[in-house]
Amino acid sequence: MTTPIASLVKPKPDHTRARIMDTAEALFRRLGFAKTAVADIAGELKMSPANVYRFFSSKNAIVEAICQRCLGELEDRAWAVARSRGSAAERMERLVVEILAYHRENLLTDQRVNDMVLAAIELSWGAIRAHKEHMRGVFEAILRDGVESGEFDRVDPRETSRLLMISLVHFCHPVLVAQYLQDQQDLEGDARASVRFLLRAITPKIRSKS
């Protein structure tokens, strides 16, 4: 009996890495980060732990990769909002709501997911810092549009973007979002109101009366 050619084709390394990451993330959510071992991930994939270690040096390395992938997804969504139609103020509000929605979609009220997020933040601090700077750049791009169109005062977009992110951290930091959700507050309503309140500080007075 001839073996089908498809069964002889080895999966590409990138595909295998993605499968390991997907399986690990599912187990972290189901069993919890601390209780999940590389052997559990390998067993779920029907491969040996040694094969997992060919692609990732440790469980921590898997978490870092998952973290970087998630951050990339969020950055793509943020840029899509920044490049969309609408006034700068409208896009800024949509941006913060989009970031908030992303964290809510990831079920951060689930303690097991929250533990994974905390581990990712601790293990991938360099990646987190790079992500924060990337997101600051998205805020800055919208601010620059608003300054150039006259919608905003002639503020320094770079410094103002930094201050906006500090002021809006409750809606952009996954752990703080999780805590906020546990209090059952109207998080999206508060996010929209906060953005509008902050932008009034840089909106020309004639416009702010309209």
Side-chain angles (χ1 to χ4, degrees):
M1 180 176 173
T2 305
T3 303
I5 293 177
S7 68
L8 299 176
V9 178
K10 293 184 179 180
K12 294 181 179 180
D14 286 348
H15 176 68
T16 303
R17 280 178 60 87
R19 285 182 60 221
I20 292 171
M21 289 162 61
D22 290 342
T23 302
E25 186 172 0
L27 286 174
F28 292 156
R29 291 175 183 270
R30 191 166 81 231
L31 305 177
F33 171 74
K35 292 183 179 179
T36 302
V38 170
D40 297 319
I41 299 167
E44 195 81 3
L45 288 163
K46 295 181 172 52
M47 65 173 62
S48 68
N51 200 30
V52 175
Y53 284 122
R54 284 180 53 216
F55 296 91
F56 296 97
S57 60
S58 64
K59 183 174 80 169
N60 289 350
I62 299 174
V63 174
E64 289 186 73
I66 293 171
C67 175
Q68 290 174 346
R69 181 172 67 177
C70 291
L71 295 178
E73 291 172 1
L74 179 53
E75 288 164 7
D76 288 344
R77 286 169 63 163
W79 276 116
V81 173
R83 292 166 177 153
S84 65
R85 296 188 177 187
S87 69
E90 290 168 344
R91 284 180 286 148
M92 188 68 75
E93 186 174 324
R94 286 204 305 270
L95 171 62
V96 175
V97 171
E98 184 70 20
I99 295 170
L100 175 59
Y102 178 85
H103 294 313
R104 292 180 70 169
E105 288 165 15
N106 280 279
L107 303 175
L108 293 182
T109 49
D110 183 334
Q111 187 58 47
R112 289 172 177 170
V113 179
N114 205 31
D115 290 343
M116 181 176 68
V117 171
L118 289 171
I121 290 172
E122 180 179 348
L123 294 168
S124 306
W125 187 239
I128 296 294
R129 269 195 314 229
H131 169 69
K132 286 172 65 179
E133 178 58 21
H134 192 113
M135 294 299 288
R136 190 204 57 71
V138 180
F139 277 78
E140 181 180 345
I142 296 175
L143 284 167
R144 285 190 183 281
D145 285 349
V147 170
E148 290 173 5
S149 68
E151 183 181 346
F152 297 147
D153 290 326
R154 301 202 65 77
V155 295
D156 177 352
R158 182 177 182 83
E159 176 62 9
T160 305
S161 63
R162 186 183 72 83
L163 295 174
L164 276 177
M165 288 189 66
I166 292 172
S167 302
L168 296 166
V169 66
H170 272 91
F171 311 108
C172 301
H173 192 293
V175 176
L176 295 178
V177 168
Q179 292 174 349
Y180 214 131
L181 287 172
Q182 288 174 356
D183 294 334
Q184 298 183 334
Q185 300 292 323
D186 179 7
L187 194 51
E188 182 176 327
D190 286 349
R192 291 183 182 278
S194 295
V195 173
R196 292 171 188 173
F197 175 79
L198 291 168
L199 292 183
R200 278 201 291 272
I202 61 171
T203 302
K205 294 297 181 277
I206 295 177
R207 285 182 178 272
S208 65
K209 293 178 182 178
S210 59

